[in-house]
Amino acid sequence: MLKSLENHQNTAVAIIQLLRWHKPEGRLILMIPALWAVFLAAAGKPPLPLVGVIVLGTLATSAAGCVINDLWDRNIDPEVERTKNRPLASRALSVKVGIAVAIISFVCAAGLAFYLNPLSFWLCVAAVPVIVLYPGAKRVFPVPQLVLSIAWGFAVLISWSAVTKNIMQPTWLLWGATVLWTLGFDTVYAMSDREDDKRIGVNSSALFFGAYAPIAIGLFYIGTVALLGWLGFAIHLHIAFWLSLALAALGWAWQLMRLKDDSLTSIAYAEMFKQNVWIGFILLAGMIAGNLL
């Protein structure tokens, strides 16, 4: 009986790891652009039930995305230092369990999507193929992070339209900023896996840009600042937003200074990825205050 209980506990821990709930920054960084959109579309005062649906929806969707990614990569991850201990890679969980967890995650996300208006609901449906196919992009597409960025962009389109029931110019400005921001931070993240990815033969934006990766990241971040600034003017955000944007720009500039160092470890790249979570929340605070103050 004790042995059975221990096995159940080990399985539960492995499922938590499969869903990446032990690494909350990856869940939060998808939630951030969704919250940007819902608060901006509602002029800083969205209905609380809708915010709850958006939060839970991003958690369910990101969980499904993680499982789908690990199912695709279960035979590649063992060759990569950073991912070799993931539950499907280490065979701590079976493929059948992974598929079951993915289905449950998608069902939870679908149940929440029914709360939304028809446009937002169908945008949720449109996002599913992108989420499912993204992990395969690294095998055939030279910049798979662009596919991930488009998946992240759906969070903006879904959340904004959930408030307004349509998509307008400011929505696309935020979408563009989100795509560029995601390209930036995920290229930083990919830099830690360059040697493993090259050896295995999979693509990444870090490999595609090579020695110019820091310059590309800089351009992505500059584009993010420019589009967010354009958005701020378009919807007449007040001083708090501009202060938060200035802080974000300083944070990204500091990261770019660090990226000039060729001797950075994988831990340093992971730290910069996590810093983007804080930058995202600083911008969210500025967006809310920029509407209300």
Side-chain angles (χ1 to χ4, degrees):
M1 184 175 177
L2 289 175
K3 181 71 172 178
S4 176
L5 179 60
E6 183 179 348
N7 288 338
H8 286 309
Q9 289 175 334
N10 290 339
T11 299
V13 170
I15 289 174
I16 289 171
Q17 292 173 343
L18 179 66
L19 296 170
R20 307 283 202 281
W21 285 351
H22 63 305
K23 294 183 176 181
E25 59 275 0
R27 314 293 66 74
L28 294 173
I29 211 162
L30 174 61
M31 189 185 301
I32 287 166
L35 291 176
W36 288 351
V38 76
F39 275 94
L40 286 175
K45 297 180 285 186
L48 289 180
L50 177 59
V51 175
V53 168
I54 296 298
V55 168
L56 294 176
T58 56
L59 290 175
T61 304
S62 64
C66 288
V67 181
I68 294 295
N69 181 81
D70 287 8
L71 285 166
W72 272 90
D73 292 350
R74 64 188 183 278
N75 296 322
I76 291 178
D77 283 343
E79 306 297 322
V80 179
E81 182 64 30
R82 182 176 59 84
T83 60
K84 65 182 182 181
N85 293 320
R86 286 177 174 174
L88 292 176
S90 65
R91 305 315 190 244
L93 291 176
S94 68
V95 172
K96 287 182 180 179
V97 171
I99 292 172
V101 174
I103 291 171
I104 292 169
S105 298
F106 274 125
V107 168
C108 291
L112 292 162
F114 280 111
Y115 176 86
L116 306 175
N117 63 60
L119 174 59
S120 300
F121 175 83
W122 287 111
L123 284 167
C124 291
V125 173
V128 173
V130 182
I131 295 167
V132 171
L133 295 176
Y134 157 66
K138 70 182 72 172
R139 293 158 171 82
V140 296
F141 186 59
V143 189
Q145 278 69 23
L146 178 58
V147 181
L148 177 72
S149 300
I150 292 170
W152 245 245
F154 272 102
V156 169
L157 301 180
I158 292 165
S159 300
W160 193 295
S161 63
V163 175
T164 63
K165 299 182 181 180
N166 60 26
I167 293 174
M168 53 197 75
Q169 184 198 41
T171 322
W172 290 114
L173 292 174
L174 187 61
W175 178 87
T178 297
V179 168
L180 290 175
W181 179 50
T182 308
L183 273 169
F185 70 66
D186 209 51
T187 300
V188 171
Y189 199 63
M191 290 178 77
S192 64
D193 294 335
R194 283 176 295 187
E195 295 306 315
D196 287 328
D197 288 345
K198 190 184 300 183
R199 174 172 50 81
I200 295 168
V202 297
N203 299 309
S204 80
S205 54
L207 291 178
F208 178 80
F209 293 113
Y212 298 101
I215 295 174
I217 293 165
L219 292 174
F220 295 145
Y221 286 158
I222 289 170
T224 303
V225 172
L227 287 175
L228 287 176
W230 187 357
L231 174 64
F233 279 116
I235 60 176
H236 310 293
L237 294 177
H238 302 306
I239 186 65
F241 167 74
W242 298 103
L243 290 174
S244 71
L245 186 59
L247 287 173
L250 287 173
W252 288 323
W254 181 77
Q255 287 192 4
L256 293 174
M257 293 294 293
R258 290 193 68 193
L259 288 172
K260 292 180 180 179
D261 184 356
D262 293 331
S263 64
L264 288 176
T265 65
S266 59
I267 294 174
Y269 294 120
E271 285 175 351
M272 281 187 265
F273 174 80
K274 293 177 184 178
Q275 287 159 7
N276 273 281
V277 176
W278 290 106
I279 290 172
F281 276 118
I282 288 170
L283 283 167
L284 176 62
M287 291 170 182
I288 295 170
N291 267 296
L292 299 180
L293 300 181

